[in-house]
Amino acid sequence: LAKTNSGNAQLEIKPLDFTKLTNQILGDMEGKIAESGMKIKLNLPDSPAVITADGKKLSRALQNVVDNALKYSLSGSRIYIDLVKNEGNAILSVKNTSSYEMDFTADEIMQRFVRGDKNRSSDGSGLGLSIAQSFTQVSGGSFDVMIDGDQFKTVFTFPLTDEQMKGESGDII
């Protein structure tokens, strides 16, 4: 995180399919998802969503967000993961219902070493969302957190590649 924030991180920025990356992360986390008992409601496009990013850093960012959703979701609720292509962007959101009252703002929870569940004494450093934001930004995207009552939502936004923006006829789609 320190290297990324100082601009000294090694980056491998190249085109990647955000749809495939999302499926891969969920596949890698299959055991953890099963252990959690949470249900994932997945909505991904049928076609690739090609963006330009550092795949390793974006994988870590997405894994942190899904891991947080698994840890802090209300038992028996669902985690919604949606990827849409809209106005030249690939927008991935991860939304869950919190298992505790969220008495913090989106800005507060994005700070380093801040944990939303103040009663928790183990498991993690409070860096997950800060890492997700930093890794997303150095990869050319934006990362936002939204809180609405007990709903917690993270949103990754990346521009689609120029090639992705063109249909087979050459028209912008």
Side-chain angles (χ1 to χ4, degrees):
L1 181 60
K3 281 184 179 180
T4 300
N5 287 337
S6 69
N8 294 326
Q10 295 278 50
L11 297 174
E12 289 187 41
I13 305 291
K14 56 186 174 186
L16 62 90
D17 180 359
F18 209 1
T19 305
K20 188 182 284 188
L21 179 73
T22 302
N23 274 321
Q24 181 180 346
I25 294 301
L26 293 174
D28 291 348
M29 297 182 75
E30 196 172 320
K32 196 175 253 192
I33 292 168
E35 280 179 29
S36 76
M38 299 304 301
K39 295 224 186 297
I40 304 281
K41 293 293 193 174
L42 190 59
N43 177 32
L44 299 176
D46 293 332
S47 60
V50 182
I51 61 172
T52 304
D54 182 308
K56 289 180 184 175
K57 293 208 176 348
L58 187 53
S59 293
R60 173 77 186 273
L62 183 54
Q63 187 174 14
N64 284 357
V65 165
V66 173
D67 195 44
N68 279 354
L70 293 172
K71 285 181 192 175
Y72 304 120
S73 289
L74 181 66
S75 180
S77 64
R78 288 159 297 286
I79 298 168
Y80 294 87
I81 301 176
D82 296 291
L83 176 59
V84 296
K85 294 187 271 187
N86 187 14
E87 296 182 10
N89 291 310
I91 303 165
L92 179 85
S93 65
V94 179
K95 181 172 65 173
N96 66 290
T97 301
S98 176
S99 63
Y100 60 92
E101 183 177 351
M102 293 185 288
D103 59 351
F104 51 82
T105 67
D107 287 338
E108 290 170 335
I109 197 65
M110 292 298 297
Q111 300 300 313
R112 290 184 189 185
F113 307 112
V114 172
R115 295 180 185 178
D117 185 354
K118 293 170 181 56
N119 294 322
R120 197 182 93 215
S121 60
S122 62
D123 241 9
S125 60
L127 287 172
L129 291 175
S130 185
I131 288 170
Q133 180 183 44
S134 180
F135 284 7
T136 301
Q137 289 173 342
V138 299
S139 290
S142 66
F143 180 82
D144 297 293
V145 169
M146 295 162 208
I147 298 169
D148 184 7
D150 288 340
Q151 295 291 306
F152 189 86
K153 182 177 181 179
T154 56
V155 180
F156 297 83
T157 304
F158 281 89
L160 292 165
T161 62
D162 290 340
E163 292 77 27
Q164 178 74 60
M165 294 289 295
K166 295 181 182 190
E168 288 183 20
S169 65
D171 297 332
I172 300 293
I173 56 170

